[in-house]
Each structure stands twice: as structure tokens, then as C-alpha cells.
């Protein structure tokens, strides 16, 4: 069973053999909603922006990154670019969530290496 550490928003136990998802979302309520759904089947690590997400990805090496596109400090595009450029993180699938409906935004995410 996953456990929550409120100080770092990390919900995982590295000894468990359950896939780990890094959820990067700046809206706390939305992040909590998505994380609570994911926690039923996965361990979840949360980050509030791309910079924090990159740090947590390097620390935990998750099985999947789910990230918002538009965030302060570092957006999802830059996070994806850096993850795909890193030797230790290039293999991690990245799924981007966005309220933007423009095809250009979707194409930009895919060009940076997002898997969906």
C-alpha cells in the first residue's frame, strides 16, 4: 500500500513492486484529483512545476511521467525535452495533459518527445 508524505507530496514505497508515476501539475486541486485516481493502482510522486518534476524524476526514475503543458517555472514542453535528453531519463514515457486544443501545442509536445 502506498503511503503519503505530506511534506514532499511523495506517495511511494521503493520496496514495493508497483509502477511509479510522476505527476507534474501546478494546480493543487487537479493534482490531488488525478493522484487519488492513480493511487488505486500505482505509486504516485507529485511535483508542482517542471523544475520540481525534473528533480523528482532524477531522484526516483519513475515508470511514467504525466505532466501538464502550461506551468510556471518550467513548462511541460521543457520538462519533456530535458527528460528525453538525459541518459538516465530518456527511456521514461511522457504523457502531456493540456487544456489547449490547438494542434500546434499538441505537435510541439510530440516533437519534444512526449509519447502522448
Amino acid at each position: 500500500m502506498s503511503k503519503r508524505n505530506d511534506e514532499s507530496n511523495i506517495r511511494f514505497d521503493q520496496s514495493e513492486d508497483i509502477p511509479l508515476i510522476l505527476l507534474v501539475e501546478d494546480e493543487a486541486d487537479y493534482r490531488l484529483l488525478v493522484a487519488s485516481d492513480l493511487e488505486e493502482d500505482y505509486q504516485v510522486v507529485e511535483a508542482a512545476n517542471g523544475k520540481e518534476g525534473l528533480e523528482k524524476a532524477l531522484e526516483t526514475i519513475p515508470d511514467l511521467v504525466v505532466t501538464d503543458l502550461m506551468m510556471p517555472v518550467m513548462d511541460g514542453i521543457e520538462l519533456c525535452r530535458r527528460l528525453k535528453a538525459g541518459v538516465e531519463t530518456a527511456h521514461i514515457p511522457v504523457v502531456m495533459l493540456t487544456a489547449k486544443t490547438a494542434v500546434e501545442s499538441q505537435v510541439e509536445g510530440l516533437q519534444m518527445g512526449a509519447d502522448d
Side-chain angles (χ1 to χ4, degrees), residues 44 53 56 74 81 92 95 107 109:
V44 178
K56 289 189 178 186
M74 179 191 297
R81 187 188 70 72
I92 302 170
V95 174
V107 169

Side-chain angles (χ1 to χ4, degrees), residues 33-51:
L33 177 70
V34 174
S36 64
D37 284 343
L38 292 172
E39 285 181 326
E40 294 177 21
D41 299 304
Y42 305 98
Q43 297 180 76
V44 178
V45 175
E46 298 177 29
N49 61 61
K51 181 177 184 255

Side-chain angles (χ1 to χ4, degrees), residues 48-111:
N49 61 61
K51 181 177 184 255
E52 185 180 321
L54 182 60
E55 292 167 0
K56 289 189 178 186
L58 292 169
E59 177 185 327
T60 64
I61 310 296
D63 297 294
L64 173 70
V65 173
V66 177
T67 183
D68 187 14
L69 178 67
M70 299 179 296
M71 295 179 290
V73 184
M74 179 191 297
D75 65 18
I77 298 287
E78 182 63 15
L79 171 61
C80 183
R81 187 188 70 72
R82 290 189 185 191
L83 288 171
K84 294 302 181 176
V87 174
E88 55 281 317
T89 56
H91 70 283
I92 302 170
V94 177
V95 174
M96 288 191 177
L97 306 175
T98 183
K100 284 187 164 185
T101 58
V103 173
E104 294 84 14
S105 296
Q106 296 171 12
V107 169
E108 183 180 12
L110 294 170
Q111 286 175 335

